[in-house]
Amino acid sequence: MNRRRTAILISGRGSNMRSLIEAARVPDFPAEIVLVASNRPDAPGLADAKQAGIATAAVDNKIYAGREEFEGPLQALFDIHRVDLICLAGFMRMLTAGFVERWSGRIINIHPALLPAYRGLNTHERALADGVKIHGCTVHFVVPAMDEGPIIAQAAIAVLNDDTAETLAARVLEEEHKLYPQALRIVASGDYSVDGNRVRSKLASASARV
Ligand code: GAR
């Protein structure tokens, strides 16, 4: 099997990164993780990736004049490691339209909400403030607009009476850890089609605990 060479971009903790690394350990998984890169040299996830035997790199966005300048070395890393697919996993930087378009269909992101609801930050706080009863997470193809792009997979959970932003975030995160490997499996296997914002695949792409 020709496993797709996959890079993960992180900015912090890296728990989704760990779930992808874990899933890709299974020999029949259609992606292999060949690089973990962070824009934050102090991202705790980098040490975990190194420990898992994966090549790591820090490209500190602070030392570059702008987004394009930052993306130059990032792209060079992807070239060196012959990367086919990019997974954004808690990567908290906007990428330029040029970069995203170059990777169109080969770059995916996980977002802690049921898109198109709650794009942006503080999704759990905003969901609680709105009183929604169902919340969750989404993996989608990245397009130049933030938190938009064809939806690959979603998981939904019920909001409980005594939920706080922290308890809700923790339960959504558990779902993220299951969802992201499923979504990467779909994309890496190539077993899907895209029609506008609709992604169709024979592989599982939805779950609900409601
Ligand atoms: C995750 O909840 C992810 O969905 C979110 O950041 C967290 C990263 O956690 N991503 C975004 O908010 C992107 N806009 P992790 O570093 O432990 O995977």
Side-chain angles (χ1 to χ4, degrees):
M1 189 189 22
N2 195 6
R3 304 174 82 201
R4 307 300 302 281
R5 297 176 62 80
T6 302
I8 305 175
L9 288 183
I10 63 169
S11 295
R13 182 175 56 182
S15 70
N16 277 291
M17 170 207 80
R18 282 196 296 281
S19 74
L20 292 172
I21 290 173
E22 195 57 42
R25 282 216 178 97
V26 177
D28 79 345
F29 195 80
E32 66 173 313
I33 311 303
V34 296
L35 174 70
V36 171
S38 175
N39 64 309
R40 301 258 322 257
D42 58 352
L46 283 177
D48 291 341
K50 211 175 282 177
Q51 188 141 23
I54 291 167
T56 60
V59 181
D60 187 348
N61 62 276
K62 286 200 213 80
I63 67 172
Y64 295 96
R67 289 181 204 279
E68 270 171 29
E69 290 83 351
F70 162 70
E71 288 165 357
L74 208 53
Q75 179 62 47
L77 279 166
F78 296 149
D79 292 342
I80 290 165
H81 290 274
R82 292 179 285 116
V83 168
D84 300 314
L85 296 175
I86 302 171
C87 293
L88 306 183
F91 182 68
M92 305 310 269
R93 299 287 303 168
M94 279 293 286
L95 295 161
T96 64
F99 183 91
V100 169
E101 271 152 17
R102 188 168 336 122
W103 284 91
S104 176
R106 298 181 298 145
I107 179 167
I108 65 179
N109 178 48
I110 188 153
H111 183 72
L114 290 173
L115 292 173
Y118 306 114
R119 296 182 174 122
L121 298 175
N122 305 318
T123 54
H124 310 303
E125 286 84 347
R126 287 156 56 210
L128 287 178
D130 282 347
V132 299
K133 299 298 184 197
I134 297 181
H135 188 46
C137 50
T138 303
V139 180
H140 63 98
F141 284 107
V142 175
V143 296
M146 191 182 66
D147 300 330
E148 293 185 27
I151 290 173
I152 302 158
Q154 287 188 312
I157 60 164
V159 177
L160 305 179
N161 286 336
D162 53 1
D163 261 330
T164 61
E166 290 71 32
T167 61
L168 192 54
R171 287 207 317 292
V172 169
L173 192 64
E174 264 178 55
E175 297 303 318
E176 293 184 41
H177 295 163
K178 288 180 265 177
L179 190 72
Y180 213 170
Q182 285 173 20
L184 177 57
R185 179 184 283 282
I186 291 171
V187 174
S189 69
D191 196 0
Y192 66 92
S193 63
V194 184
D195 170 15
N197 271 321
R198 292 184 74 177
V199 179
R200 292 183 173 91
S201 174
K202 288 197 291 292
L203 300 171
S205 59
S207 83
R209 278 170 200 277
V210 293

